[in-house]
């Protein structure tokens, strides 16, 4: 409730404007309409359009409000001294995971200021419809502190200067919302409760790039939601100078062909002229991705070599799909209208004039906090060169046609027939979506041939953890080879890290094992790189191999000795609790192995008792959960414990059969391994039977005989902990205390304080912390304080645990050196319950 009040207060203080409501009216005089030249439609305008004036603009709705012109609001221009320009050659490095539509916030996008809606860390999905709170993101300083800073003097933003054109967009969401409300009302048939915020409220979010300032406002007026977008940017033909107000630098606009000459794209211009395409480039508005002269010369040399080897033109077309006629080559680099690369998001697809083939635009962060831009994985060497009838982007490479999907590329390349077989046998081929963005590091047939015959055959049949192995080679975003400089990392579709490296001799290496032998085979939904070696990740190892890898060798040797290697390796969707090598050195474990000897059946029981059907990671564990093992369904019990005061719901230790889980979540082929610090043995007796079978509890046996305590300790459906006083402990009591225990009714009252209502394993007891008491509830009204002192000593109440973790089918027994007689209850402000989850 306090949080809601705080947010509401923030909204009031930060200038959230609401019309016709408690927040007061707004000024309608500041809003006008469309700009002409710089709108999306301007991409297809004729080349000689005069600059638009206010009188040429068409009015929007009377309700339109321009958030950028509100009184006392001044945008904050980010300070980026010595920032390299967009056109400079940039060196990327580090993580290159970029989702469609944005930059991960670890790098930041220099072209916009992040909002509160962007989630910190890793990859995020930016939704342009989400709005941050004004006044918190540096975009709307009119809230909270804007009025204070306004008294220090007006700072005129650059976008209020000359030669800045305005685009305005308006959309209404009321029809959809009305339908949704009507549907909801019909379903529930209940009266709709009025919403305080549904009267009238507006939220604005503004951001800017070096050449654009944009504000998006959502207005909810009695349930009718409208979205208004105002975009300020340099009018076509004008550019900003650093630190200037407005766009003062006029760009000399020349025709496209002349612009190509000025940029030294002479080879591409000559190709246009040789194919009789000059008139179209003079009379139409076009965007040209012009290859550098060096790239054109290299491409021509390759084609000449191919012509010498293949004189038959029909065979050329059949054998090399990327051979183009000269006019096709031109149109493969041209798209209609004005395409400004600063306006395109990552993974955006545009279509060229060559039978509507696609051009994929990718943005990658760089070490300079700028971005490297590619078109079909070719680096943009110089972007946004304006012409009078178009835009020229210089490209470091010749783009070949993109008409096939990633799936089709794999289907049609004979070098990838083995990969295709695995994809089909595992149904992974169906996972690719035509509208997706993928990178496939595709192992060639020769890469499959490097595997052992048995492993290769299993892979081709879809066995041997084939899904995990092949998925390790696929990402859910486009990784172009030009973005790999030095050491870089990305993530595959399973979320695992992939390491990539470009060596000093320009070799591309994946995971320090495979060479990328052919790069950037573009598809309509991603890119394919060919590699010479199959990468088998640790997560795809057989369980037996993973145990070796994790140095759990003694348990792995017992598996082999029991003759269960194949059975364990063939498990899919299983969990193994593997004892550490140190666990087998403990006296209890040595005694167990001595009793088993070479009996294979008992060894099998031991291994199977440590194995659970079903993959359970640490995040899936629940306190007091019973897991059925492969040993005739005999259960293992999971317990979770708080280890720090106050934060009892956050940090915990985990035990299985009171053995501490010391290593979590080692992934194997479809399964998971957890390391434990004890050898697990199934309990066979109830707590009552444990007490009766142990001679050190002979006196307590007599005391509980025929009482309610005896019944409780024998109940199978209980999950309790019994703190059992030993004969030595009882012998130390004085005469009055012994008489209390001889009275059956008093004995029941006393011994209920020795029964905890949860299972408390010694591994779950954390250290005592000054100022805080860890309390555990008992069957009596008294709670006991617990804590670990020193390295091993467990204190419960006034006593010390002398023997830990004697497991029973309905709980656990600890020997205690103290008898807890009833005490007067005293409130403890600093206490917390250990089992408070």
């Amino acid at each position: 409730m306090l949080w809601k009040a705080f947010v509401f207060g923030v909204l009031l203080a930060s200038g959230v404007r609401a019309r016709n409501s408690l927040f007061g009216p707004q000024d309608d005089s500041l809003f006008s309409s469309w700009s002409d030249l710089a709108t999306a439609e301007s991409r297809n305008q004729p080349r000689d359009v005069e600059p638009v004036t206010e009188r040429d603009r068409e009015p929007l709705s009377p309700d339109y409000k321009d958030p950028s012109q509100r009184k006392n609001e001044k945008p904050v221009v980010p300070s980026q001294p010595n920032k390299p320009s967009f056109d400079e050659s940039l060196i990327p490095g580090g993580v290159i995971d970029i989702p469609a539509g944005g930059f991960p916030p670890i790098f930041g996008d220099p072209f916009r200021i992040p909002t509160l809606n962007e989630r910190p860390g890793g990859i995020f999905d930016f939704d342009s419809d989400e709005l941050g709170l004004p006044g918190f993101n540096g975009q709307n300083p009119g809230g909270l502190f804007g009025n204070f800073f306004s008294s220090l003097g007006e700072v005129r933003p650059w976008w209020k200067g000359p030669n800045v054109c305005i685009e305005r967009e308006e959309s209404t969401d009321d029809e959809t919302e009305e339908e949704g409300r009507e549907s909801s009302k019909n379903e529930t048939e209940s009266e709709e409760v009025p919403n305080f915020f549904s009267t009238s409220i507006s939220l604005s979010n503004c951001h800017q790039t070096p050449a654009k300032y944009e504000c998006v406002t959502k207005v909810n007026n009695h349930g009718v939601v409208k979205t208004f977008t105002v975009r300020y940017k340099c009018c076509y033909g004008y550019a900003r100078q650093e630190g200037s107000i407005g766009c003062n630098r006029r760009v000399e606009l020349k025709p496209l062909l002349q612009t190509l000459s000025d940029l030294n794209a002479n080879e591409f211009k000559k190709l246009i002229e040789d194919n009789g395409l000059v008139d179209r480039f003079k009379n139409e508005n076009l965007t040209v991705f012009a290859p550098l002269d060096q790239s054109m010369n290299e491409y021509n040399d390759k084609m000449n070599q191919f012509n010498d080897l293949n004189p038959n033109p029909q065979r050329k077309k059949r054998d090399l799909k990327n051979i183009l006629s000269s006019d096709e080559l031109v149109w493969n680099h041209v798209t209609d209208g004005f395409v400004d690369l600063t306006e395109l998001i990552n993974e955006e697809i545009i279509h060229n004039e060559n039978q509507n083939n696609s051009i994929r635009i990718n943005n990658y962060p760089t070490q300079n906090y700028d971005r490297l831009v590619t078109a079909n994985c070719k680096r943009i060497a110089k972007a946004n060169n304006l012409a009078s009838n178009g835009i020229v982007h210089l490209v470091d490479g010749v783009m070949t046609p993109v008409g096939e999907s990633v799936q089709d590329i794999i289907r049609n390349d004979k070098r990838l027939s083995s990969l295709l077989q695995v994809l089909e046998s595992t149904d992974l081929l169906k996972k690719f979506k035509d509208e997706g963005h993928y990178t496939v590091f595709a192992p060639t047939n020769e890469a499959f041939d490097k595997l052992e015959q048995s492993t290769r055959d299993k892979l081709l049949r879809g066995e041997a953890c084939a899904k995990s192995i092949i998925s390790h080679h696929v990402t859910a975003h486009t990784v172009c080879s030009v973005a790999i400089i030095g050491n870089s990392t990305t993530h595959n579709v399973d979320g695992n890290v992939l390491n990539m490296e470009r060596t000093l001799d320009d070799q591309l290496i994946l995971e320090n094992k495979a060479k990328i032998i052919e790069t950037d085979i573009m598809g309509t939904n991603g890119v394919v790189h060919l590699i010479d070696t199959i990468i088998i990740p640790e997560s795809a190892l057989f369980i037996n191999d993973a145990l070796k890898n994790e140095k759990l060798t003694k348990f792995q040797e017992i598996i082999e000795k029991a003759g269960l290697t194949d059975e364990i390796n063939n498990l899919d969707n299983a969990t193994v609790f593997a004892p550490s090598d140190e666990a087998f050195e403990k006296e209890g474990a040595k005694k167990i192995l001595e009793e088993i000897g070479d009996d294979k059946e008992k060894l099998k029981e031991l291994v199977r008792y440590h194995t659970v059907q079903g993959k359970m990671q640490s995040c899936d564990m629940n306190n007091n959960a019973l897991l059925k093992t492969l040993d005739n369904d005999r259960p293992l019990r999971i317990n979770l414990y708080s280890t720090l005061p106050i934060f009892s719901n956050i940090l915990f230790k985990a035990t299985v059969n009171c053995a501490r889980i010391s290593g979590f979540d080692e992934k194997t082929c479809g399964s998971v391994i957890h390391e434990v610090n004890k050898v697990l043995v199934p309990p066979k007796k109830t707590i009552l039977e444990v007490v009766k079978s142990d001679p050190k509890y002979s006196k307590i046996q007599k005391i509980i005989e025929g009482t309610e305590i005896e019944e409780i300790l024998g109940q199978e459906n209980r999950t309790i902990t019994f703190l059992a006083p030993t004969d030595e402990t009882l012998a130390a009591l004085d005469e009055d205390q012994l008489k209390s225990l001889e009275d059956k009714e008093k004995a029941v009252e006393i011994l209920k304080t020795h029964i905890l209502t949860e299972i408390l394993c010694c591994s779950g007891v954390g250290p005592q912390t000054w100022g805080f008491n860890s309390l555990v509830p008992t069957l009596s009204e008294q709670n006991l304080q617990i804590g670990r002192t020193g390295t091993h000593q467990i204190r419960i109440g006034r006593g010390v645990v002398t023997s830990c973790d004697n497991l029973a089918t309905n709980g656990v027994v600890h020997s205690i050196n103290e008898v807890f007689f009833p005490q007067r209850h005293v409130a403890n402000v600093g206490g917390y319950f250990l089992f408070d989850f």
Side-chain angles (χ1 to χ4, degrees):
M1 194 64 187
L2 289 175
W3 171 245
K4 292 181 179 178
F6 170 73
V7 172
F8 179 62
V10 168
L11 292 174
L12 287 173
S14 57
V16 177
R17 312 301 172 119
R19 305 179 65 252
N20 304 321
S21 71
L22 296 175
F23 300 99
Q26 287 183 327
D27 183 3
D28 289 339
S29 63
L30 300 175
F31 303 96
S32 53
S33 57
W34 293 90
S35 149
D36 236 32
L37 188 61
T39 59
E41 287 82 355
S42 70
R43 293 183 177 180
N44 297 312
Q45 288 181 356
R47 53 189 291 266
D48 295 323
V49 175
E50 291 296 325
V52 169
T53 60
E54 190 70 28
R55 65 177 179 274
D56 298 319
R57 296 176 182 146
E58 202 175 86
L60 286 176
S61 158
D63 293 331
Y64 190 90
K65 299 298 177 190
D66 184 343
S68 64
Q69 297 188 20
R70 290 175 180 159
K71 188 176 180 180
N72 293 331
E73 291 185 359
K74 294 178 286 299
V76 176
V77 180
S79 174
Q80 294 180 340
N82 303 320
K83 175 182 173 297
S85 69
F86 177 80
D87 294 334
E88 292 183 17
S89 178
L90 303 170
I91 305 298
V95 180
I96 61 173
D97 294 358
I98 308 294
F103 274 63
I106 188 172
F107 292 99
D109 185 349
F111 296 89
R112 54 179 299 281
I113 299 174
T115 71
L116 288 179
N117 297 299
E118 295 172 67
R119 298 176 288 278
I123 300 174
F124 71 92
D125 297 319
F126 178 70
D127 185 347
S128 60
D129 290 331
E130 293 182 356
L131 298 174
L133 292 176
F136 275 82
N137 53 18
Q139 310 298 335
N140 191 356
L144 287 183
F145 307 109
N147 293 332
F148 171 75
F149 286 109
S150 65
S151 64
L152 301 180
E154 291 290 332
V155 179
R156 191 182 183 196
W158 71 265
W159 42 271
K160 285 192 176 181
N163 305 314
V164 176
C165 287
I166 308 171
E167 302 174 13
R168 291 183 170 88
E169 300 170 8
E170 174 184 355
S171 63
T172 305
D173 306 326
D174 56 338
E175 292 181 1
T176 302
E177 295 203 359
E178 289 290 344
E179 291 173 4
R181 281 197 301 273
E182 184 66 27
S183 172
S184 175
K185 188 171 182 180
N186 290 340
E187 288 175 7
T188 61
E189 296 184 357
S190 62
E191 185 177 353
E192 191 170 316
V193 178
N195 186 343
F196 173 75
F197 288 104
S198 70
T199 55
S200 182
I201 189 169
S202 67
L203 292 174
S204 298
N205 185 42
C206 302
H207 67 268
Q208 65 180 324
T209 74
K212 181 181 72 173
Y213 179 76
E214 180 177 279
C215 283
V216 180
T217 301
K218 279 186 181 284
V219 178
N220 186 333
N221 189 1
H222 299 283
V224 178
V225 179
K226 289 188 177 183
T227 301
F228 303 104
T229 302
V230 182
R231 192 176 298 111
Y232 295 80
K233 62 183 183 181
C234 293
C235 295
Y236 193 79
Y238 289 88
R240 283 192 66 207
Q241 291 178 324
E242 188 173 353
S244 66
I245 302 298
C247 303
N248 293 328
R249 183 167 64 87
R250 178 159 189 150
V251 180
E252 183 182 0
L253 299 179
K254 299 179 181 180
L256 270 173
L257 293 176
Q258 182 60 50
T259 303
L260 287 170
S261 295
D262 293 346
L263 294 170
N264 294 319
N266 296 307
E267 292 294 329
F268 191 74
K269 179 189 174 187
K270 184 175 183 300
L271 195 64
I272 293 171
E273 295 169 341
D274 291 346
N275 283 276
L277 303 174
V278 170
D279 287 344
R280 287 195 62 179
F281 278 80
K282 284 184 177 180
N283 299 323
E284 297 181 18
N285 297 331
L286 302 171
T287 296
V288 182
F289 293 84
L292 299 170
D293 282 354
Q294 180 182 352
S295 300
M296 286 295 299
N297 291 331
E298 290 174 355
Y299 178 81
N300 289 332
D301 289 344
K302 288 181 181 178
M303 292 304 100
N304 290 334
Q305 292 175 10
F306 190 80
N307 289 335
D308 293 341
L309 296 172
N310 298 276
N312 186 334
Q314 294 300 320
R315 183 176 179 184
K316 285 193 300 183
K317 286 194 174 183
R318 182 175 66 249
D319 292 346
L320 188 59
K321 295 178 182 179
N322 289 336
I323 286 191
L324 300 171
S325 64
S326 53
D327 64 325
E328 287 176 331
L329 182 61
V330 170
W331 295 121
N332 204 57
H333 292 78
V334 178
T335 189
D336 189 41
F338 295 77
V339 179
D340 182 344
L341 289 184
T342 62
E343 299 293 316
L344 300 185
I345 61 176
N346 186 50
E347 303 284 16
E348 187 158 347
I349 304 294
I350 57 179
H351 296 280
N352 59 33
E353 296 291 297
N354 183 24
Q355 298 180 356
N356 210 30
N357 277 313
S358 63
I359 299 175
R360 177 180 294 269
I361 303 299
N362 285 105
N363 301 313
Y364 297 99
T366 71
Q367 292 174 340
N368 295 321
Y369 293 90
D370 213 313
R371 55 180 173 178
L372 179 145
V373 182
T374 62
N376 281 359
C377 282
K378 307 298 182 185
R379 184 177 69 91
I380 301 294
K382 189 173 178 61
N384 294 335
N385 302 282
L386 304 183
S388 60
N389 63 321
I391 300 179
V392 177
H393 310 295
L394 290 182
V395 185
D396 189 7
V398 174
M399 296 190 295
T400 53
V402 179
E404 295 182 328
S405 66
V406 164
Q407 308 93 289
D408 291 333
I409 292 171
I410 296 172
R411 286 189 187 101
N412 297 329
D413 194 327
K414 293 181 179 179
R415 296 171 295 177
L416 303 177
S417 59
S418 295
L419 174 61
L420 177 63
Q421 185 175 339
V422 180
L423 288 170
E424 289 177 337
S425 61
T426 56
D427 284 334
L428 285 176
L429 202 62
K430 298 176 182 178
K431 300 291 185 182
F432 291 94
K433 307 298 181 184
D434 289 339
E435 66 278 5
H437 317 286
Y438 303 104
T439 301
V440 181
F441 295 96
T444 62
N445 294 341
E446 288 74 14
F448 278 85
D449 291 340
K450 290 181 180 179
L451 298 172
E452 293 182 3
Q453 186 65 39
S454 60
T455 303
R456 178 180 178 276
D457 291 343
K458 287 181 179 179
L459 268 178
L460 293 177
R461 292 195 300 267
E463 302 170 4
C465 210
K467 283 186 178 181
S468 295
I469 293 173
I470 299 304
S471 295
H472 191 71
H473 296 72
V474 182
T475 77
H477 47 271
T478 305
V479 178
C480 295
S481 64
V482 70
I484 306 173
I485 301 294
N487 293 312
S488 300
T489 59
T490 188
H491 290 79
N492 63 22
V493 291
D494 290 331
N496 297 320
V497 173
L498 287 175
N499 294 297
M500 301 167 292
E501 180 186 4
R502 185 182 293 272
T503 63
L504 294 177
D505 58 352
D506 206 32
Q507 291 282 336
L508 293 178
I509 308 297
L510 180 67
E511 292 282 84
N512 297 317
K513 297 176 183 177
K515 289 183 180 179
I516 302 178
I517 57 177
E518 186 172 336
T519 63
D520 303 328
I521 305 172
M522 292 303 302
T524 56
N525 58 343
V527 64
V528 176
H529 307 294
L530 304 189
I531 60 175
D532 68 349
T533 303
I534 293 177
I535 308 296
I536 299 181
E538 289 184 4
S539 60
L541 293 173
F542 290 125
I543 292 176
N544 217 38
D545 294 331
L547 290 170
K548 287 181 183 177
N549 208 44
E550 291 299 307
K551 297 188 172 26
L552 300 170
T553 54
K554 292 190 176 180
F555 186 64
Q556 181 263 329
E557 289 169 1
I558 289 175
I559 291 173
E560 292 182 350
K561 188 175 180 181
L564 290 177
T565 300
D566 289 340
E567 179 181 317
I568 294 297
N569 282 344
N570 290 331
L571 287 176
D572 187 19
N573 189 30
T575 301
V576 177
F577 294 94
S580 63
D581 284 359
E582 292 77 12
F584 284 98
E585 297 299 322
K586 296 179 179 179
E587 289 302 319
K590 290 181 178 179
K591 184 178 179 181
I592 292 170
L593 293 179
E594 286 175 5
E595 291 175 354
I596 292 175
D598 294 328
D599 189 327
K600 279 196 171 184
E601 290 304 313
K602 290 185 177 179
L603 287 171
K604 288 179 180 180
E605 289 177 3
L606 178 69
V607 172
R608 289 169 178 162
Y609 188 67
H610 288 75
T611 309
V612 175
Q613 186 62 48
K615 185 177 179 181
M616 173 176 282
Q617 300 188 69
S618 58
C619 58
D620 302 319
M621 293 180 180
N622 293 308
N623 186 45
N624 218 37
L626 291 175
L627 312 179
K628 292 183 179 180
T629 67
L630 299 185
D631 181 23
N632 299 314
D633 289 343
R634 288 197 286 185
L636 294 172
R637 189 186 298 274
I638 296 288
N639 287 104
L640 307 179
Y641 300 98
S642 305
T643 56
L644 289 179
I646 300 179
F647 303 104
S648 58
N649 293 340
I650 300 175
L651 301 175
F652 63 86
K653 289 182 180 179
T655 64
V656 54
N657 278 21
C658 281
R660 184 177 177 184
I661 302 177
S662 53
F664 292 90
D665 299 333
E666 181 60 33
K667 294 180 180 178
T668 69
C669 181
S671 299
V672 65
I673 297 173
H674 304 297
E675 182 179 339
V676 295
N677 70 347
K678 293 181 183 177
V679 176
L680 307 180
V681 179
K684 299 177 181 179
K685 302 175 181 179
T686 65
I687 292 177
L688 181 62
E689 291 168 337
V690 168
V691 170
K692 287 186 174 181
S693 63
D694 195 328
K696 67 174 176 281
Y697 298 134
S698 61
K699 291 184 177 180
I700 200 69
Q701 293 176 42
K702 294 179 180 178
I703 292 172
I704 66 174
E705 189 174 352
T707 68
E708 181 186 352
I709 299 299
E710 185 178 43
E711 181 183 350
I712 291 172
L713 298 183
Q715 290 174 345
E716 283 284 2
N717 59 346
R718 291 272 188 176
T719 51
I720 55 178
T721 300
F722 183 45
L723 307 175
T726 62
D727 289 355
E728 184 179 354
T729 300
L730 293 173
L733 297 179
D734 59 35
E735 186 176 347
D736 290 338
Q737 291 172 329
L738 286 173
K739 284 183 178 179
S740 297
L741 289 173
E742 290 172 0
D743 186 319
K744 294 293 185 180
E745 289 185 6
K746 288 184 178 179
V748 168
E749 182 182 352
I750 294 169
L751 291 178
K752 279 187 177 180
T753 309
H754 294 69
I755 300 175
L756 308 184
T757 58
E758 272 277 7
I759 292 180
L760 175 64
C761 298
C762 287
S763 295
V765 179
Q768 285 187 328
T769 305
W770 182 87
F772 294 95
N773 295 327
S774 302
L775 303 177
V776 290
T778 69
L779 286 183
S780 71
E781 294 181 357
Q782 184 175 345
N783 299 314
L784 296 178
Q785 179 181 337
I786 69 168
R788 183 185 296 272
T789 59
T791 307
H792 301 293
Q793 192 178 74
I794 306 295
R795 299 192 66 87
I796 300 181
R798 300 177 308 279
V800 174
V801 175
T802 58
S803 175
C804 271
D805 300 336
N806 196 341
L807 289 181
T809 55
N810 58 344
V812 63
V813 179
H814 304 307
S815 297
I816 193 82
N817 69 352
E818 185 75 31
V819 177
F820 306 130
F821 290 93
Q823 302 289 320
R824 186 177 62 174
H825 178 72
V826 178
N828 191 319
V829 177
Y832 74 97
F833 285 109
L834 185 70
F835 305 113
D836 181 19
F837 287 101

